[in-house]
Amino acid sequence: MKLNERSLAFYATCDSPADKSGFLYKRGERHTAYHRRWFVLKGNMLFYFEERDSREPVGVIVLEGCNVELCDSAESFAFAIRFGGSKSRTYVLAADSQAAMESWVKSLSRASFDYMRLVVRELEKQLQEMSRGLPGGCGGSQDAPGPWKPMPPGLEQCRERLPALPAVPPKENGCAVWNNVPGPERPPDTSGCGGHDEEGAPRPPPPLPPRRRVSNGGTASAGPAVAPSSSTFCRLHEQYSREVARLRQDWQQKRRGSQP
Amino acid sequence: AVLKKRLVKLVVNFLFYFRTDEAEPIGALLLEHCKITKEEENVFSISFIEEPERKYCFECATEEQCQEWVEALRRASYEFLRRSLIFYRNEIQKMTGKDPLEQYGISEEARFQLGAHRQ
């Protein structure tokens, strides 16, 4: 099967941050000898290189539909990546220490796209439930296809209906910017994350109500057309009430003098 | 360039393509660091950041289908999913004061941090 190998190699070696990297011993396919390789985990792709500074990977393991488990081996700190299917290979790897092995097993077993998608759907559901549960929420418009309509099942549709997401950068896809706050695309009030940092820096003043989010292109395209006045009002109402709830909570916490 | 009819399947962050009568894919494209461009009517292309002039072109049956594919493919990357996760996490944390990732035991993972430093 053809693969866009050059793009894969680029993904492996470009300076987008790796989720995990380190040396592991990998058991050969036909022989039982272990070879030390430099492993780089990015997303759901586990690349391995002959050396740490090799220019391209020797191979890649796509971490979908697999189980990561400890395994019995003469080699200590060994674990296996097992795939279903009669023709599928099991990859046996070994770390240098118990801690390293546990860390790799933990990272690899949560690396799949499927796992991420599950977590994202859970969080979406939580956000939906929170918005419905708020007093004065959009009770009267159950049929309005606002941003909190229950997601239909299915992968493409589910992802298309993500409400109030940062707008997808026009035409570009997949540049790893997860350790930055991309400027133009973020909803204006996410800068409020400054209140969460470890040093306990004071929370910045609450941002202005997120009016601008109403015109998010992604949300607008997610559902069928509706009388603009009712859905816009509902969305605004929900957004303001979320802000109010948050401010109330902040105020209450400050009164109690406790950190969340 | 000749257009060949293919069955195309988007599965996680891969676009598989098959000859229409076969069960095994002929090939796959990993959809990371790529750019999805709407071309002329019914047509879109995928190009990769390290070779931007090379375009994989796809012609759809209708313009509507074409738009659906473009939207789906732009959201298909693992990195997009990661950004969504970080965004939702942050939203929920702001609303509730609690980190929704704690229940999964993944709240400390570097890959989910907002504004984390690269290692």
Side-chain angles (χ1 to χ4, degrees):
Chain A
M1 189 189 79
K2 273 195 289 195
L3 207 51
N4 53 329
E5 280 183 16
R6 190 135 73 147
S7 309
L8 238 84
F10 176 81
Y11 184 48
T13 54
C14 75
D15 55 11
S16 67
D19 293 316
K20 196 166 175 60
S21 55
F23 284 106
L24 288 170
Y25 295 90
K26 180 173 158 292
R27 196 169 75 186
E29 221 173 323
R30 278 177 287 268
H31 314 290
T32 52
Y34 282 79
H35 301 279
R36 191 169 182 253
R37 297 276 179 258
W38 175 254
F39 280 79
V40 172
L41 174 64
K42 282 193 184 181
N44 56 347
M45 315 289 286
L46 182 62
F47 298 97
Y48 51 98
F49 300 75
E50 192 154 342
E51 300 289 341
R52 183 168 180 169
D53 49 9
S54 298
R55 288 182 58 221
E56 32 175 67
V58 171
V60 63
I61 303 169
V62 180
L63 297 165
E64 296 295 334
C66 58
N67 282 320
V68 183
E69 51 198 48
L70 306 178
C71 76
D72 266 332
S73 168
E75 192 73 21
S76 13
F77 315 124
F79 59 97
I81 305 174
R82 261 182 235 288
F83 290 86
S86 51
K87 290 190 256 178
S88 297
R89 180 184 164 174
T90 293
Y91 295 86
V92 179
L93 305 173
D96 280 322
S97 68
Q98 181 72 14
M101 180 198 72
E102 284 174 8
S103 176
W104 274 103
V105 169
K106 197 167 152 191
S107 294
L108 295 176
S109 53
R110 291 174 181 146
S112 72
F113 191 101
D114 270 341
Y115 175 84
M116 287 284 277
R117 190 164 50 196
L118 232 124
V119 176
V120 169
R121 281 185 186 162
E122 249 315 296
L123 298 189
E124 276 177 330
K125 209 171 77 167
Q126 282 184 33
L127 269 177
Q128 280 174 31
E129 284 165 7
M130 281 193 284
S131 75
R132 284 206 199 98
L134 284 171
C138 232
S141 62
Q142 303 93 311
D143 298 326
W148 306 114
K149 189 173 177 185
M151 306 290 168
L155 103 94
E156 290 84 7
Q157 279 182 297
C158 193
R159 275 193 262 117
E160 292 224 59
R161 286 175 167 274
L162 293 171
L165 262 190
V168 177
K171 304 168 195 175
E172 280 186 26
N173 184 353
C175 292
V177 292
W178 55 277
N179 57 346
N180 295 318
V181 177
E185 63 186 348
R186 295 192 73 86
D189 64 344
T190 48
S191 58
C193 68
H196 292 282
D197 74 356
E198 301 292 297
E199 284 83 42
R203 222 182 249 277
L208 291 173
R211 265 172 230 260
R212 274 166 280 171
R213 243 193 269 168
V214 171
S215 58
N216 182 320
T219 315
S221 64
V226 127
S229 55
S230 59
S231 67
T232 307
F233 175 74
C234 272
R235 265 182 286 185
L236 274 175
H237 200 275
E238 282 170 358
Q239 284 160 8
Y240 277 95
S241 61
R242 286 209 319 256
E243 281 302 309
V244 167
R246 186 175 73 80
L247 288 168
R248 232 178 107 239
Q249 187 157 32
D250 286 353
W251 174 75
Q252 280 172 337
Q253 282 164 357
K254 283 189 188 118
R255 277 187 83 207
R256 285 196 295 271
S258 59
Q259 270 282 287
Chain B
V2 179
L3 282 180
K4 298 172 196 164
K5 188 167 185 180
R6 295 282 178 258
L7 175 66
V8 174
K9 270 196 200 178
L10 174 62
V11 181
V12 298
N13 51 346
F14 281 91
L15 190 67
F16 290 96
Y17 49 97
F18 303 69
R19 271 188 272 269
T20 50
D21 52 353
E22 289 176 5
E24 289 293 310
I26 324 170
L29 298 174
L30 173 67
L31 299 168
E32 300 293 335
H33 292 270
C34 63
K35 180 169 163 167
I36 316 296
T37 310
K38 174 78 181 70
E39 306 280 357
E40 68 263 25
E41 195 178 5
N42 296 352
V43 177
F44 68 88
S45 69
I46 305 175
S47 58
F48 293 88
I49 197 172
E50 79 285 355
E51 207 183 1
E53 62 294 342
R54 183 181 179 181
K55 292 188 171 190
Y56 297 82
C57 285
F58 296 83
E59 185 178 308
C60 308
T62 66
E63 179 59 25
E64 193 189 345
Q65 265 188 26
C66 189
Q67 290 295 344
E68 282 176 13
W69 273 105
V70 168
E71 290 305 309
L73 292 171
R74 284 183 181 157
R75 289 165 165 76
S77 69
Y78 192 100
E79 295 308 324
F80 181 87
L81 205 57
R82 190 206 303 274
R83 288 210 306 264
S84 315
L85 190 152
I86 292 173
F87 177 73
Y88 287 146
R89 177 196 193 184
N90 192 49
E91 286 297 297
I92 294 171
Q93 194 149 19
K94 284 192 303 181
M95 286 168 73
T96 64
K98 280 189 284 209
D99 179 357
L101 294 189
E102 264 170 27
Q103 62 186 288
Y104 301 104
I106 57 176
S107 51
E108 296 313 306
E109 285 187 21
R111 61 183 172 138
F112 299 133
Q113 303 315 315
L114 191 61
H117 292 298
R118 280 169 54 171
Q119 307 222 310

